[in-house]
Each structure stands twice: as structure tokens, then as C-alpha cells.
């Protein structure tokens, strides 16, 4: 090779590498700009306006109901205060918060309608001239209508952020391939340059170049691994924060719905309330799946192994899923079984429920069957529980991926009726926790069969376990006055949650003291000369306070071990470990009202949880 080519080839290699590097830098800059314009401020602003409108409507309705009942304590101060918050958020809004909403015609129109509503309502917000009940009802209706429009806008913004995230992911994928291409071309042309230099220089120079290139490759690989870990940690923090923020209003909603049920007497009203309960339960189920993932990852779920009969679980599964199967025209076959299993009954029931629910969800015709057999494995008897369906089947290439979080087959539109894609991920974690073997046998067009290999137990052992369980205390059925004359302290930094819990507990005869912090709680208890019978505290309070610390301060104030429980909406593994480590009874938002009342009454009565 002549001298001209020895100069030309390295120069060409340098130009190609430089061009690819410029492309990588340009893509990085555009990706950074897209990340900076992620619409988070607009999304938070829409959420705040939605909350303020809902709070204003609720305050109007509460005052109207109190006034209609002739309540002498009825005061317009609350809805006027809520109006002032709404007014401040609208009138003092800067263009920085609106951001891209300024270019959105529907958002601009909605902002104009809200501003007009606020301005038209202002003359009515006067202590001296209280509007009529009809006017209050109309104002609440208008606020609700605007809230619904704001909520729809919020959903649109959420979808836009999701699309933007997908776009960023595509860019990152392209960047990755560009970096790989850059590295490949760099190594290729560098190898060629080393080969040429080897012919004209000594071997020591070539070895030094090779060592330098190896170091560069390792640095890039380490950078990619570190970047991936940071992204996963950021995603976990985001999901935990979003789940906590969603659980707070959902918890308040559940408590208020429970109280509202006592005041709805018409059939149409009860039908509407039933639909609202059903929607709330669906949200609870979705958020519950996120919580299950976090609790399993945090390692705060204990295993209570015991011997129990399989048949009651199978009967309960048939009762629970028969309506769903019939609604889809499917046959649900559940075989009788006299087997006894040796594992955690509650967690195993969750595994079966997830697998059966998944089978029904993805089977359009035919049947779903549950069978139980036995076999000898490594010198011990085990039970084989099979859940089989006649659905579409799972391609072999997808059979590992279906156990990943948020992964769903044939659901590109992310239909929420098909869940979040967490069911099989929860099953995968639970079988590892219980030491159960899970096998999958499926092919497209031939259906799917999951097989669980579970340790068997004996009937004699099960009888002993049941006899022991019969000695354990349970929760008695509670009537509407189960908390009569009990002093219940509520510590929560969310006003809506405090109001909802107060209304619900007072309907059960309790005297409720609410506070947003431990200091406020101590002041109110001292002023009323009361010692609480039970403390109910949110775990994460303002100013970096925690519920267990607040409980400790109240106990120190009165020098007595007041029974207490913690209610949390956190789903991050770290927070769950902290809350469980406090030693207090732990409930997860949103809490069913009946369960909350039973827990509080049991603590007040001295029953161990």
C-alpha cells in the first residue's frame, strides 16, 4: 500500500467518525430540549385547578345541606375560602405556568370560561348576602361541569406526556444505535490504521493503541449501565410519588362516599352511588396492584405457612369468577379436590385469582379449567394445580416478557379494562417468595396452561392449625354506634381526608379531633382537655414529619401508650419498610370505610392487631 493511501484512509475514518459524533450531539441536544418541555408545569396547574373547582363545589354543597337541615353552625366561610383559593389560582396566573396551553385552543377556551365563572361568582361571595339554595346548587353544578372539562384536559395532557416519553425513548434508542455505530466504525477504521501503522512502526505503539481503545469501550459500557440504573430508579420514584398523590384524594373519596350512602334514599340516587362505588373499586384495584409490586420489592410481605384444604379456595374462585365467565359466554370448570396444601393460604389464593382472572380476560370463547393432581417429586408428594384456557395462546418469543411489569399482549391501546399488565408480574414475585414452581405451556391457537407445583400437607396437621386459628381474636361486627363516646384523633395534612374521616367516624358515634400536624393535635387536645382513645395518622406529613413521630409526641404529651394505627398512600419500597418498621398497625390508602372502623374499634377495645 503506497503512502497516499496510508494518509487517506485514516483521514477518511476521522471524517466519518466526526460526522457520526455530530449527529449524536445533535440528537442529544434535541432530546434534552424535549425533556425540558415535558409539560409538567401545565399538568400540575391543570390538576390544581381541577382540585380547587372540586373543593369549591363540595364546600357549596356541604353548606347548602347544612342550611337546609337548619344547622345553626352552618357558615359560608368554607366555600368563600375555597372560592378565594380558586380565584387566586386563576387571576394571579403567570404565562410560565400555562406554557404550551397558550397554544391549545380548547385549553384557552376553558381558561376563559373558568375566568368568566370566577368573575361572575365574585359578587355572590359575601357573608352579608348569602345566595339562595337554588343559586348555590347552580354554582356547584357549574363548578362540577368546569371540573369535568379540566379533568378531560388533564387526561389529554397525560396522554401527550406519555407520547412525549415514547418519543424520547425512541430518540434514546436511536442514540444508542448511533453510539454503537460510532464505536463500531471507530474500532473498524482504528483497526485498519493500526494494521497500517504496524507495517511502518514498532509493535509497542500498536499495543498502546489497543489498550487505549479497550479502556474507551469499557468506559462507554459502564456509562450505559449507570445510565440505565438511574433511569430505572427515576421511574420507580415517579411511580411511587404518582401512586401516593392519587391515593390521597381516592382515600378521601371513599370515606365521603361511605358517609354519603347514609343520606341517599331514592332508588336512582342509590344506582348512581353504586356506579360511583364500582368506579372507585376499579381504581382501588389498579392502585392495589402497584402497591403489591412495591411491597413485594420492599420485602415487607411475610409468609405464614400453614396446612389448609384446597377445596374452599376452589369453591371461592368459582363463586368469584363465574359471573365474569358467564358474561363472556365461557365455561368455568373447577374440579373437586380433597388435597391439603402446605404454603401461605392468602398469598396462594392471590396467585390463583390472578391466573384465573387473566385466563378469563384473554379467552374469547371456549372454557377455563382448574384441576388438581398429585405426583412424587424428589421423594416427596407435591400437588400440581393447573389453570388452563382455550384462548389465543402465547408465542414462545413472548413467554418470558409476559411476566414483566406493564407488559400486555394485544393491548396497544392500553385498554384499562384489561388492567395494568401487573397480574403475572405479581404472580412471578409471589411464587418466588413461596418457593413454588411455575410452568407455562402455551402456543398460538392452542390455549395456555399454567402449572403450580405446591408442597402437600396432611389433614391432621390442617386440623391442628385450624384449632389454633380458632383461638385467635377476630373483629366483631360493628353497628353504626360502635365508636360511641370514643375520642379519635386524626392527624393528616390533607384537608379533604380529615373532613371525610371526621364525617364517617362521627356517623359511628365517635368524637373526632382533627389536626394537620402533631403540634396542632397537642394544642387542640390540651384546649379540650381530652386524651385520645385511638390515634389515626398519615405516615408522610408536611415539613418532613412522619406519622410514627407524631404518635410518639402525642404519647409523650399524655404519658400513656395511646393505641395507634398508620394510614399511608406511599408505595415506594423504602417508605413501606420505614412504615412497617414503626411497629404500628399499617393500613394502605384508599382504605375501605368498614375496615377502618373495625380496626379503630378493635384498638379502642384493646384487641391486638
Amino acid at each position: 500500500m503506497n503512502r497516499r493511501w496510508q494518509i487517506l484512509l485514516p483521514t477518511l475514518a476521522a471524517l466519518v467518525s466526526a460526522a457520526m459524533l455530530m449527529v449524536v450531539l445533535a440528537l442529544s441536544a434535541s432530546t434534552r430540549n424535549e425533556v425540558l418541555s415535558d409539560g409538567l408545569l401545565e399538568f400540575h396547574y391543570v390538576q390544581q385547578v381541577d382540585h380547587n373547582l372540586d373543593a369549591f363545589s363540595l364546600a357549596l354543597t356541604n353548606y347548602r345541606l347544612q342550611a337546609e337541615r337548619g344547622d345553626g353552625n352552618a357558615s359560608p366561610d368554607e366555600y368563600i375560602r375555597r372560592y378565594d383559593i380558586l380565584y387566586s389560582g386563576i387571576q394571579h396566573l403567570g404565562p410560565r405556568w400555562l406554557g404550551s396551553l397558550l397554544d391549545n385552543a380548547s385549553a384557552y377556551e376553558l381558561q376563559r370560561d373558568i375566568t368568566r365563572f370566577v368573575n361572575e361568582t365574585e359578587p355572590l361571595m359575601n357573608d352579608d348576602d348569602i345566595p339562595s339554595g337554588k343559586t348555590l346548587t347552580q354554582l356547584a353544578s357549574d363548578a362540577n361541569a368546569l371540573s369535568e372539562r379540566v379533568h378531560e384536559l388533564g387526561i389529554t395532557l397525560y396522554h401527550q406526556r406519555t407520547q412525549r416519553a415514547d418519543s424520547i425513548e425512541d430518540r434514546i434508542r436511536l442514540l444508542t444505535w448511533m453510539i454503537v455505530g460510532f464505536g463500531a466504525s471507530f474500532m473498524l477504521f482504528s483497526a485498519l490504521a493500526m494494521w497500517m501503522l504496524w507495517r511502518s512502526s514498532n509493535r509497542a505503539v500498536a499495543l498502546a493503541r489497543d489498550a487505549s481503545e479497550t479502556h474507551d469501550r469499557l468506559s462507554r459500557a459502564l456509562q450505559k449501565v449507570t445510565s440505565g440504573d438511574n433511569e430505572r430508579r427515576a421511574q420507580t420514584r415517579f411511580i411511587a410519588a404518582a401512586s401516593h398523590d392519587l391515593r390521597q384524594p381516592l382515600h378521601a373519596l371513599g370515606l365521603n362516599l361511605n358517609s354519603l350512602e347514609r343520606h341517599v334514599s331514592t332508588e336512582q340516587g342509590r344506582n348512581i352511588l353504586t356506579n360511583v362505588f364500582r368506579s372507585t373499586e376499579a381504581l382501588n384495584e389498579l392502585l392495589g396492584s402497584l402497591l403489591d409490586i412495591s411491597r413485594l420489592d420492599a420485602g415487607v410481605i411475610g409468609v405464614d405457612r400453614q396446612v389448609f384444604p384446597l377445596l374452599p379456595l376452589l369453591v371461592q374462585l368459582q363463586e368469584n369468577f363465574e359471573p365474569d365467565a358467564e358474561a363472556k359466554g365461557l365455561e368455568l370448570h373447577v374440579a373437586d379436590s380433597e388435597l391439603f396444601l402446605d404454603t401461605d393460604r392468602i398469598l396462594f389464593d392471590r396467585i390463583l385469582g390472578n391466573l384465573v382472572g387473566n385466563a378469563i380476560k384473554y379467552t374469547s370463547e371456549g372454557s377455563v379449567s382448574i384441576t388438581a393432581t398429585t405426583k412424587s417429586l424428589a421423594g416427596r408428594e407435591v400437588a400440581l394445580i393447573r389453570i388452563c384456557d382455550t384462548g389465543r395462546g402465547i408465542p414462545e418469543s413472548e413467554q418470558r416478557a409476559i411476566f414483566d411489569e406493564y407488559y400486555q399482549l394485544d393491548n396497544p391501546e392500553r385498554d384499562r379494562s384489561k388492567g395494568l399488565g401487573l397480574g403475572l408480574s405479581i404472580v412471578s414475585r409471589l411464587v418466588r417468595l413461596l418457593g413454588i414452581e411455575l410452568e407455562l405451556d402455551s402456543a398460538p391457537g392452542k390455549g395456555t396452561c399454567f402449572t403450580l407445583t405446591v408442597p402437600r400437607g396432611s389433614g391432621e396437621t390442617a386440623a391442628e392449625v385450624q384449632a389454633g386459628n380458632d383461638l385467635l381474636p377476630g373483629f366483631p361486627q360493628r353497628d353504626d354506634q360502635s365508636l360511641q363516646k370514643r375520642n379519635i384523633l386524626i392527624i393528616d395534612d390533607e384537608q379533604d381526608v380529615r373532613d371525610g374521616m371526621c364525617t364517617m367516624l362521627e356517623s359511628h358515634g365517635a368524637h373526632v379531633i382533627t389536626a394537620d400536624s402533631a403540634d396542632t393535635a397537642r394544642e387542640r387536645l390540651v384546649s379540650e382537655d381530652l386524651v385520645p382513645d385511638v390515634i389515626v395518622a398519615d405516615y408522610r406529613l408536611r415539613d418532613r414529619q412522619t406519622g410514627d413521630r407524631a404518635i410518639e409526641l402525642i404519647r409523650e404529651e399524655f404519658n400513656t401508650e395511646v393505641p395507634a394505627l398508620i394510614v399511608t398512600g406511599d408505595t415506594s419500597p423504602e417508605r413501606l419498610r420505614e412504615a412497617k418498621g414503626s411497629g404500628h398497625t399499617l393500613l394502605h390508602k384508599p382504605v375501605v370505610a368498614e375496615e377502618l372502623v373495625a380496626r379503630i374499634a378493635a384498638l379502642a377495645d384493646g384487641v391486638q392487631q
Side-chain angles (χ1 to χ4, degrees), residues 146-209:
L146 289 171
S147 176
E148 291 177 0
R149 293 173 60 190
V150 172
H151 182 70
E152 292 175 359
L153 178 59
I155 292 175
T156 300
L157 289 177
Y158 176 79
H159 288 316
Q160 289 176 352
R161 294 194 68 215
T162 302
Q163 293 172 354
R164 188 175 289 113
D166 292 339
S167 174
I168 292 173
E169 183 179 357
D170 291 339
R171 289 175 181 269
I172 291 175
R173 187 180 297 111
L174 179 58
L175 278 171
T176 301
W177 282 110
M178 289 296 297
I179 292 173
V180 171
F182 172 77
S185 63
F186 181 80
M187 288 186 290
L188 176 63
F189 289 118
S190 296
L192 179 61
M194 285 190 293
W195 180 76
M196 291 185 295
L197 288 174
W198 175 79
R199 298 183 54 158
S200 59
S201 70
N202 59 62
R203 187 173 179 79
V205 174
L207 291 174
R209 179 73 59 86

Side-chain angles (χ1 to χ4, degrees), residues 346-417:
I346 295 176
L347 298 183
F348 186 69
D349 181 49
R350 181 65 188 275
I351 292 172
L352 290 180
N354 279 10
L355 291 176
V356 174
N358 213 58
I360 293 175
K361 191 180 301 178
Y362 288 98
T363 302
S364 56
E365 60 180 359
S367 64
V368 174
S369 63
I370 309 171
T371 59
T373 58
T374 63
K375 78 171 185 178
S376 179
L377 182 64
R380 63 189 181 99
E381 289 293 315
V382 296
L384 301 180
I385 316 298
R386 291 187 175 89
I387 298 92
C388 301
D389 62 61
T390 58
R392 70 196 67 177
I394 305 170
E396 185 177 357
S397 60
E398 305 282 350
Q399 291 183 9
R400 292 178 61 88
I402 62 172
F403 294 101
D404 294 338
E405 296 95 332
Y406 315 111
Y407 189 88
Q408 290 179 304
L409 287 173
D410 300 327
N411 189 19
E413 70 280 6
R414 302 300 296 173
D415 181 0
R416 282 291 152 254
S417 66

Side-chain angles (χ1 to χ4, degrees), residues 57 73 86 104 149 151 224 232 516:
S57 173
N73 295 325
L86 176 62
N104 188 316
R149 293 173 60 190
H151 182 70
K224 290 180 184 178
R232 284 190 291 273
D516 60 359

